[in-house]
Amino acid sequence: MTAAWHVLGAGSLGGLWATRLFRAGVPLHLVLRNPQRLAEYRGAGGLTLIENGASRLYPIPAELPEAKAPIERLLVACKAYDAQAAVAEVAPRLAKDSEILLLQNGLGSQQAIAARWPYSRCIFISSTEGAYRQADFRIVHAGRGQNWLGDPLKRQAPPWLADLDMADIPYSWANDIMDKLWRKLAINCAINPLSVLNDCRNGELLNHPEPLRRLCCELSEVLRACDQPGAADGLEAEVLRIIEATAQNYSSMHQDVQSGRRTEVGFLLGQACRAARQHGLATPELDELLDRLQTLLRRHGLPAD
């Protein structure tokens, strides 16, 4: 019998993982942040997943952070800026030799959690799956992607990856997980801020090839300075490919700003700029982009970090 999973965060990716694991028969509990949220979830009857136009309701058991059952495997699927506080709420329940799976954008939150709870094995995840929240507890699976999982400290793959096979969750165990995370961070830094500042769909960024080229050049320098040469190779070509493939989409950061939600800028572009400073790199394009983006966020009444 596989160990039970606990999923923190019932948003797009957390809901996508939870519904697929639950329908495969994997023991699972959602952890919702407060009694009001739990009541709303129970009122909805569970999580609804919409795939290929068809919807299905999954009555996944849910509980509050202070529930008593020990947690052996915790999937943290909330935003990067909420992740550490969310884990802290359930930390007294973490079993000996527990595992924490971190499904956050950017970098910084994963390292902070791994340092704060060193007796849990922290597994970092980089995902390209397409999903969005249509409404509370209604998740649309918008495109099948890939999930790379890895542990920067321990390369041995865990046996519970069989749960992902049963749930038809696409994945690869990555010995070079930091390479995957840095690569995704750089791609997000090249696309998301420009899409916000130009208030445009991704495809319209092809009208601004020179800023993209300069950003990719600086981002590649940062990646190499951080000992991630593989993440730097061919960065501009991949950024252009992704822009073309998602031409009609609005970036996640653009959607956050338009919806008045806090962005993850501090864990994406902010992280890239901090890494550049730590290595003594001059990155005028990245610095100016961060400054312009933070100015726009403040104008919208949103946090700039």
Side-chain angles (χ1 to χ4, degrees):
M1 185 70 173
T2 185
W5 290 62
H6 286 77
V7 178
L8 263 174
S12 55
L13 285 180
L16 181 61
W17 279 59
T19 51
R20 291 188 294 188
L21 287 164
F22 179 76
R23 73 184 178 193
V26 176
L28 182 79
H29 296 267
L30 289 176
V31 182
L32 300 174
R33 61 180 177 265
N34 56 45
Q36 178 183 344
R37 193 72 174 152
L38 181 59
E40 291 168 351
Y41 174 78
R42 287 174 174 163
L47 275 181
T48 296
L49 179 63
I50 302 166
E51 294 179 290
N52 302 316
S55 66
R56 184 174 172 186
L57 179 66
Y58 297 93
I60 302 170
E63 62 192 31
L64 294 173
E66 58 266 27
K68 299 300 182 185
I71 294 175
E72 298 179 58
R73 186 168 306 123
L74 179 68
L75 176 65
V76 184
C78 49
K79 293 286 192 178
Y81 47 75
D82 285 332
Q84 190 173 172
V87 174
E89 287 196 318
V90 299
R93 299 173 56 193
L94 290 173
K96 183 182 179 183
D97 300 323
S98 61
E99 296 160 311
I100 303 175
L101 284 66
L102 298 166
L103 190 55
Q104 279 66 55
N105 272 329
L107 283 167
S109 63
Q110 303 95 330
Q111 290 87 342
I113 289 169
R116 187 168 173 182
W117 291 281
Y119 301 108
S120 295
R121 184 183 188 187
C122 287
I123 292 173
F124 299 178
I125 306 174
S126 178
S127 178
T128 62
E129 294 236 70
Y132 63 90
R133 188 171 59 181
Q134 186 183 73
D136 272 357
F137 311 119
R138 288 181 63 85
I139 310 301
V140 177
H141 189 189
R144 190 173 176 88
Q146 181 63 297
N147 299 283
W148 287 276
L149 297 86
D151 179 349
L153 302 178
K154 184 180 178 182
R155 292 194 168 188
Q156 182 179 359
W160 51 258
L161 290 176
D163 289 356
L164 305 189
D165 289 317
M166 286 194 304
D168 194 29
I169 295 174
Y171 75 90
S172 292
W173 181 259
N175 289 328
D176 57 347
I177 189 60
M178 295 309 298
D179 177 280
K180 302 294 185 188
L181 288 165
W182 273 109
R183 179 74 158 199
K184 187 180 179 188
L185 179 145
I187 291 167
N188 284 335
C189 286
I191 296 174
N192 290 15
L194 283 177
S195 75
V196 172
L197 291 167
N198 289 287
D199 190 16
C200 68
R201 298 178 191 268
N202 290 351
E204 294 174 55
L205 295 179
L206 296 175
N207 299 325
H208 307 277
E210 192 56 28
L212 279 171
R213 187 194 66 78
R214 293 196 300 266
L215 283 174
C216 288
C217 183
E218 288 191 358
L219 286 164
S220 295
E221 290 181 16
V222 173
L223 293 172
R224 292 190 178 96
C226 293
D227 198 26
Q228 300 296 329
D233 290 345
L235 177 62
E236 182 180 359
E238 185 167 3
V239 165
L240 294 174
R241 181 187 64 78
I242 289 172
I243 289 173
E244 290 175 354
T246 62
Q248 296 305 310
N249 296 355
Y250 287 104
S251 74
S252 58
M253 185 177 287
H254 185 282
Q255 294 176 50
D256 284 341
V257 172
Q258 292 301 308
S259 301
R261 294 190 297 261
R262 182 178 178 180
T263 72
E264 294 174 296
V265 59
F267 299 91
L268 294 167
L269 188 54
Q271 178 70 17
C273 290
R274 285 191 297 275
R277 287 195 299 272
Q278 288 167 4
H279 291 279
L281 290 179
T283 51
E285 294 289 329
L286 289 169
D287 293 341
E288 182 189 5
L289 186 65
L290 179 60
D291 183 63
R292 290 172 59 203
L293 181 61
Q294 289 176 325
T295 298
L296 181 144
L297 293 174
R298 293 187 188 100
R299 194 163 66 239
H300 282 264
L302 296 172
D305 58 4

